[in-house]
Amino acid sequence: MKATKLLYLLALGLILGCTDDDLSNQQNQDLPASLRFNFLVNSNNEPIEYPELSGNELSVATYENTSLRTLKIPVVLSARSLKETVTAGYNVNSGLPEDSYEIQPQELHFTAAQPTDTIEVRFNQRWTAGETIAFSLTEVSDPSIQLGALNEATVGDRFEVTLGEVNTTYQLNTSRIDLSGAVGETVAFRVEFPNGYIEEEVDEAGIFSFLNGFDYTLERTGQGSDYISYRLTLNEDLSAADVNFQTIITLQQQPAYNISGNANLLVIKPIQTDRDLATNPASHFYDTSNPFYLVRGENWIDHDNDGACSWRSWTAFAVPVEVAADHPNAILGSDNATPDPADDVYYDAYRIGFSSSLAGRTTNPFNLQRWFANEATDASASPGFNIEAAIEFYPEGGTNTTQGSVAVIPQFLTISNRDGELFELAISGSGSYRQVSETLWEMKFELRVTNDALYGGTVTSEYYIYNDRGYEDPTDLPGNSCVEEITL
């Protein structure tokens, strides 16, 4: 008797625990079709948009919006089958001025192949915190379809947006772009607004300042609710192999927006050197079969600020630098186990980067996180702790397979403290690399970091980087420059 009762309770629990979607898939249930709002958020209360995975999140009936980006509100039709297109109407109620926002579409459409449609809210003006926009489903073309779900706790025929405080920021999407130097060459970049922007508030004529080293044209090519895209076209021949050309594009402060990430973009045509692709020195310092592969380093630093420098061990995620198939330094990294060349992946034979494979996280390039205290380490606040292309290799004579020189690729790194204050570091450096043993490779170099506010100019620090454990401890460097930790 107890066993029978337990089975009954388990079965009852499974039925009560099902969502209306789960129930609609039960062949032994004769449930009516329903139309409802299906707004999902993740653990950070951020909207989940298709095609992101929603996991086990339940739809919510209210949402506090703190972004100027277009807000997307999904509406889903749960039905066993549809023979024709179903249309539905909805009502909007808000105290906001009618011209302060736009809502599309006017009518929702659903088919068997596309059972979800989306209401999009585009904001044209800022709002007063506490304002609301309320949506309600009002009609559906098929009278057998009910408005709202079967679950009384979350009926789903109404959805309300509360408008909260907005912190508007902006940044460049990258800190360095390389050119080949051909006249007419084009490259693209974006100014990104993580929380969206109001077009009338952004002065595009004064959004950049320039330190130009060559002739080019810059034009706007597109925009979205959280970005403006630009194209730079080269107007002169920079193909001289032995000359370095560079331009710096810098974001300028806007009255209603704070710079929150990369503020400087270095556009550079670097010196070109003849190198044999077969040497492929970069490949010794990454492992694509291991997303958590670490290089191991030693840095000469006074981390404790006790007046004594020492070698401090550190690690960082090292990654290849992906390039196009026609890039002059391209080597095939993977064919993705298919004969189709369209999905082939190519890497730069002479460059590595330092970057975390975990979304929103960073790594510790050049042990820089030990240069500072009170630093923010998430990618949105300190994008400089992920470096797409950090070090370049130059095989001796262009063909040597065991040794050569290295260069820290010149660029700007943006980091911030935990209070949101930004610091821009200009980095460069040089040194050498060699094969120590059959499986052990070593880099030895000097890193130069420039920031007037933190250092009054440029400081230097010495480094070793190895592709694995098993290296000998470096010899101390008495009298060498010694970087101390700085509280940001």
Side-chain angles (χ1 to χ4, degrees):
M1 180 68 179
K2 290 183 178 179
T4 302
K5 185 176 181 180
L6 177 60
L7 289 173
Y8 170 77
L9 290 174
L10 287 173
L12 181 61
L14 287 172
I15 293 173
L16 294 177
C18 289
T19 66
D20 52 317
D21 277 337
D22 296 327
L23 290 171
S24 68
N25 292 324
Q26 301 296 319
Q27 295 302 316
N28 61 343
Q29 300 288 330
D30 187 19
L31 300 176
S34 64
L35 184 71
R36 72 191 192 283
F37 291 104
N38 191 38
F39 194 91
L40 304 175
V41 296
N42 61 22
S43 58
N44 294 323
N45 201 40
E46 298 167 332
I48 297 174
E49 297 181 6
Y50 179 84
E52 292 182 62
L53 297 177
S54 60
N56 296 319
E57 288 84 357
L58 296 176
S59 58
V60 296
T62 62
Y63 176 70
E64 182 182 22
N65 182 55
T66 58
S67 169
L68 295 173
R69 296 193 308 269
T70 297
L71 182 65
K72 299 180 180 181
I73 306 170
V75 180
V76 63
L77 174 59
S78 296
R80 291 187 183 280
S81 63
L82 290 178
K83 295 181 179 180
E84 57 185 25
T85 299
V86 171
T87 60
Y90 62 93
N91 183 56
V92 180
N93 184 31
S94 178
L96 291 172
E98 291 186 1
D99 60 350
S100 66
Y101 63 95
E102 301 172 19
I103 297 179
Q104 295 290 340
Q106 298 299 315
E107 186 178 68
L108 301 170
H109 294 80
F110 307 89
T111 65
Q114 190 63 46
T116 297
D117 203 353
T118 303
I119 299 171
E120 296 190 355
V121 185
R122 182 178 182 271
F123 298 99
N124 301 322
Q125 299 174 14
R126 291 180 184 257
W127 55 74
T128 300
E131 296 276 8
T132 61
I133 307 177
F135 298 83
S136 57
L137 298 173
T138 57
E139 58 185 349
V140 60
S141 61
D142 185 339
S144 69
I145 299 173
Q146 70 175 31
L147 299 179
L150 298 174
N151 188 339
E152 293 295 333
T154 54
V155 176
D157 60 343
R158 293 177 176 82
F159 181 75
E160 183 175 85
V161 179
T162 299
L163 300 174
E165 295 285 349
V166 178
N167 176 27
T168 44
T169 62
Y170 68 128
Q171 61 196 31
L172 293 161
N173 70 316
T174 185
S175 62
R176 174 177 169 129
I177 296 177
D178 282 19
L179 299 172
S180 66
V183 175
E185 179 180 3
T186 63
V187 292
F189 66 93
R190 286 182 171 191
V191 177
E192 297 180 335
F193 301 81
N195 284 326
Y197 71 103
I198 303 298
E199 187 168 6
E200 290 75 15
E201 294 179 344
V202 177
D203 176 16
E204 277 203 83
I207 198 171
F208 301 122
S209 64
F210 306 92
L211 184 59
N212 293 331
F214 51 81
D215 183 29
Y216 62 89
T217 301
L218 187 65
E219 57 184 327
R220 171 176 169 166
T221 57
Q223 68 181 107
S225 64
D226 58 359
Y227 72 89
I228 303 174
S229 59
Y230 294 87
R231 178 172 59 231
L232 183 151
T233 303
L234 185 58
N235 295 332
E236 64 174 297
D237 181 11
L238 306 182
S239 60
D242 59 345
V243 181
N244 176 305
F245 298 91
Q246 63 184 41
T247 277
I248 299 175
I249 300 174
T250 301
L251 281 179
Q252 296 299 291
Q253 191 68 49
Q254 298 281 306
Y257 298 81
N258 296 314
I259 298 173
S260 63
N262 296 318
N264 290 288
L265 170 60
L266 175 63
V267 185
I268 184 170
K269 197 293 294 181
I271 294 174
Q272 297 164 344
T273 304
D274 288 334
R275 292 172 286 187
D276 184 355
L277 283 173
T279 60
N280 193 14
S283 65
H284 302 300
F285 291 91
Y286 62 78
D287 181 0
T288 56
S289 68
N290 179 7
F292 303 109
Y293 172 78
L294 296 167
V295 292
R296 303 172 186 280
E298 300 286 340
N299 176 209
W300 186 249
I301 187 173
D302 182 6
H303 179 61
D304 299 324
N305 288 353
D306 60 1
C309 235
S310 62
W311 290 107
R312 293 299 300 264
S313 299
W314 58 281
T315 60
F317 294 119
V319 294
V321 175
E322 192 168 333
V323 295
D326 59 354
H327 190 282
N329 298 343
I331 58 166
L332 181 63
S334 172
D335 63 3
N336 278 309
T338 73
D340 184 2
D343 63 1
D344 290 350
V345 178
Y346 289 85
Y347 300 133
D348 194 309
Y350 309 112
R351 288 184 170 187
I352 63 168
F354 299 120
S355 184
S356 174
S357 61
L358 302 174
R361 304 294 295 276
T362 60
T363 190
N364 185 22
F366 304 117
N367 201 30
L368 287 177
Q369 291 189 20
R370 281 189 177 158
W371 283 46
F372 308 108
N374 194 43
E375 77 279 12
T377 58
D378 58 290
S380 60
S382 294
F385 286 143
N386 285 329
I387 309 177
E388 181 179 340
I391 294 177
E392 185 157 4
F393 299 85
Y394 297 88
E396 189 177 86
T399 59
N400 196 297
T401 59
T402 61
Q403 64 184 29
S405 60
V406 296
V408 176
I409 298 172
Q411 59 194 288
F412 295 96
L413 306 181
T414 299
I415 64 172
S416 74
N417 61 20
R418 295 174 186 174
D419 299 318
E421 184 180 3
L422 293 180
F423 301 87
E424 201 87 9
L425 309 176
I427 66 167
S428 61
S430 59
S432 61
Y433 74 95
R434 67 186 179 104
Q435 184 177 15
V436 179
S437 65
E438 183 177 354
T439 59
L440 186 64
W441 288 77
E442 172 193 86
M443 281 185 263
K444 178 185 178 182
F445 60 90
E446 176 186 82
L447 176 70
R448 295 182 287 276
V449 176
T450 301
N451 180 285
D452 288 340
L454 297 176
Y455 303 113
T458 301
V459 293
T460 63
S461 190
E462 300 294 327
Y463 287 83
Y464 285 88
I465 294 180
Y466 297 90
N467 67 324
D468 206 347
R469 300 180 179 90
Y471 58 87
E472 295 182 1
D473 292 337
T475 303
D476 284 354
L477 301 173
N480 192 272
S481 58
C482 190
V483 175
E484 296 182 349
E485 181 184 69
I486 293 178
T487 298
L488 298 178

